[in-house]
Amino acid sequence: MRILSKYVIAGMELASELKEVNLDSGIIINEDIIKTIKNNNIDYLDIKTNSEFDTINDSIKRLIENILASDNVDEMHDLAIFLTQLVKESSELKFDLSIYLKNNYNHLVNTIILSALLAKKYNEITEKDLQVELENVIYAAIIEDIGRRAKKEETLKFLKDKYSDDLIEFKRLIPDLDLKIFDNYDSKYHPLYGYFFCKYYKTSESVKMAVLLHHEKENGTNSLFNTPLSTVDNEEYGRIAKIIKLADLFDIIVKNNCLENPDNPYINLGKSIDTIVSSSFVNARLANILKTIVPIYQVGMQVLLSDGTVGIIKANDANDYNTPTVVDLNGKEIDLRDENITVLKQSD
């Protein structure tokens, strides 16, 4: 994959020779090489990408973290373009849940990656008229919480000076809206603050509206804008909002399960996902798609079962997330349901 040199991170692998600085294809880039690239004004280079998105996940996560930390919206849009290219060129979609057991957890980074993978898979199995622009999804996921910038007094004042008159249009959607939200920051309205940021940065309509609605429920009322996402399914922004909302909730649920059950972190994960579906928080079809690209246990993984048996994951079932098909070390299938056996954890 050809990328701008400013996005190069230690750990990436050169896919072609860099004759200008005598670097061969296959070299793993380190900090010294990055300095050499910059000092020689090399604008682009090719990096290797495997069929699995997760093969450079640590590098990509650091890249996303660095750009988010810079708080530069132009760079955030460049990041969306880069990640769109990366995801499009990845032929196999995988996201390893073991990252939740590590110390470098980052909710927004995970939400961005999950949204990207979910959007790509969704497009692959959806008729063209109802697909989403991958770049729009990724950009919306990157800036979904940009409204939280309004915590800063000077930023809130900027929004008030520029957009206080526009609040009147939202009074129709939110009858109890306090028009003084530009005087005192209110975190529950961060999607609305984010909408105005998107307006200022002239994002596309789809991104702007997805940011506004990314906390709305799939069905029912009692959401911030009383706009069930199922009612805007014909609009791209509605489908994008559904995707980033599910990715956001999924990440939180997985992390909470890991904190509550460190010895068996995924035991209640399937029930937790089914609960947010049945409660009309998220779209059921998207939830099933996400389960297929983020299985609890990867096919081929060796696992320890609750009866002490060591088995191997043979297949996964999105309709029964916590109960994969497992075979013993001799290849004989183990009926987890009939025997009331559960998968405890990955086996050493």
Side-chain angles (χ1 to χ4, degrees):
M1 177 189 299
R2 193 166 181 77
I3 66 170
L4 283 167
S5 59
K6 69 177 182 179
Y7 294 138
V8 175
I9 288 179
M12 291 181 172
E13 182 179 349
L14 277 180
S16 62
E17 179 185 9
L18 275 180
K19 294 182 179 179
E20 304 97 314
V21 287
N22 297 317
L23 292 174
D24 295 328
S25 172
I27 285 179
I28 304 299
I29 297 170
N30 57 31
E31 295 297 340
D32 289 336
I33 292 176
I34 291 175
K35 289 179 182 177
T36 300
I37 290 170
K38 289 180 178 178
N39 291 338
N40 284 270
N41 298 316
I42 296 172
D43 295 323
Y44 291 90
L45 67 161
D46 297 316
I47 63 164
K48 284 188 179 179
T49 56
N50 204 309
S51 61
E52 296 182 13
F53 183 93
D54 205 44
T55 52
I56 53 173
N57 199 30
D58 286 342
S59 296
I60 293 302
K61 286 182 71 174
R62 287 198 301 276
L63 171 65
I64 297 173
E65 288 169 353
N66 292 342
I67 292 180
L68 293 178
S70 74
D71 208 26
N72 184 307
V73 174
D74 289 335
E75 288 197 359
M76 290 179 186
H77 188 241
D78 287 344
L79 174 64
I81 295 171
F82 167 67
L83 290 178
T84 300
Q85 180 186 2
L86 179 67
V87 175
K88 280 184 175 179
E89 293 189 14
S90 174
S91 60
E92 190 174 340
L93 303 175
K94 289 185 180 179
F95 186 88
D96 190 349
L97 288 182
S98 66
I99 67 167
Y100 291 96
L101 305 178
K102 300 176 182 178
N103 294 324
N104 61 340
Y105 171 77
N106 187 307
H107 171 62
L108 182 54
V109 173
N110 290 343
T111 300
I112 292 166
I113 296 173
L114 285 167
S115 296
L117 299 183
L118 177 56
K120 179 178 179 180
K121 188 64 177 179
Y122 166 81
N123 281 348
E124 288 175 352
I125 59 176
T126 301
E127 57 190 275
K128 191 170 184 179
D129 289 347
L130 291 177
Q131 291 178 11
V132 291
E133 286 291 336
L134 187 56
E135 184 183 317
N136 283 343
V137 175
I138 295 173
Y139 191 30
I142 290 171
I143 63 173
E144 63 168 326
D145 283 337
I146 196 171
R148 297 192 188 278
R149 287 181 175 185
K151 289 179 182 178
K152 295 180 180 179
E153 187 176 336
E154 63 272 22
T155 306
L156 192 59
K157 182 180 184 304
F158 163 78
L159 289 180
K160 180 179 180 179
D161 292 343
K162 197 161 185 67
Y163 296 116
S164 55
D165 290 344
D166 292 17
L167 276 180
I168 304 303
E169 66 177 284
F170 286 99
K171 189 71 175 176
R172 294 182 294 102
L173 294 172
I174 322 170
D176 59 347
L177 175 65
D178 185 352
L179 295 181
K180 294 183 179 180
I181 63 168
F182 284 147
D183 295 322
N184 296 289
Y185 174 77
D186 188 335
S187 62
K188 78 175 180 180
Y189 287 115
H190 76 269
L192 184 54
Y193 297 129
Y195 171 89
F196 289 121
F197 275 118
C198 288
K199 200 168 183 178
Y200 175 73
Y201 289 115
K202 296 181 173 58
T203 68
S204 70
E205 186 71 10
S206 288
V207 170
K208 180 175 66 176
M209 290 300 296
V211 168
L212 178 69
L213 299 176
H214 76 275
H215 280 312
E216 297 300 287
K217 295 175 65 175
E218 175 69 12
N219 291 298
T221 56
N222 299 322
S223 296
L224 188 60
F225 301 110
N226 291 321
T227 306
L229 293 178
S230 60
T231 66
V232 289
D233 198 45
N234 286 330
E235 303 290 344
E236 187 192 34
Y237 66 77
R239 300 191 291 275
I240 294 175
K242 291 183 184 199
I243 288 170
I244 61 178
K245 177 185 178 66
L246 174 57
D248 181 275
L249 280 176
F250 180 88
D251 182 72
I252 292 171
I253 287 172
V254 178
K255 185 59 178 177
N256 287 343
N257 270 265
C258 291
L259 292 174
E260 293 169 6
N261 304 290
D263 294 330
N264 193 354
Y266 312 125
I267 190 168
N268 295 316
L269 187 53
K271 291 180 180 177
S272 299
I273 302 301
D274 292 341
T275 297
I276 63 172
V277 171
S278 62
S279 301
S280 298
F281 277 95
V282 296
N283 180 268
R285 178 172 180 251
L286 283 175
N288 271 349
I289 295 172
L290 187 59
K291 289 175 184 178
T292 65
I293 60 175
V294 192
I296 295 178
Y297 302 103
Q298 301 287 351
V299 171
M301 179 184 289
Q302 193 165 287
V303 293
L304 177 65
L305 305 180
S306 57
D307 67 348
T309 304
V310 173
I312 298 173
I313 303 296
K314 183 179 179 182
N316 288 288
D317 182 358
N319 294 313
D320 196 349
Y321 199 39
N322 276 90
T323 311
T325 300
V326 180
V327 296
D328 63 22
L329 298 182
N330 294 316
K332 182 181 178 181
E333 186 170 329
I334 302 171
D335 194 329
L336 303 186
R337 295 175 184 83
D338 280 357
E339 301 296 333
N340 198 27
I341 298 171
T342 58
V343 178
L344 292 181
K345 61 180 180 179
Q346 183 173 356
S347 176
D348 297 328

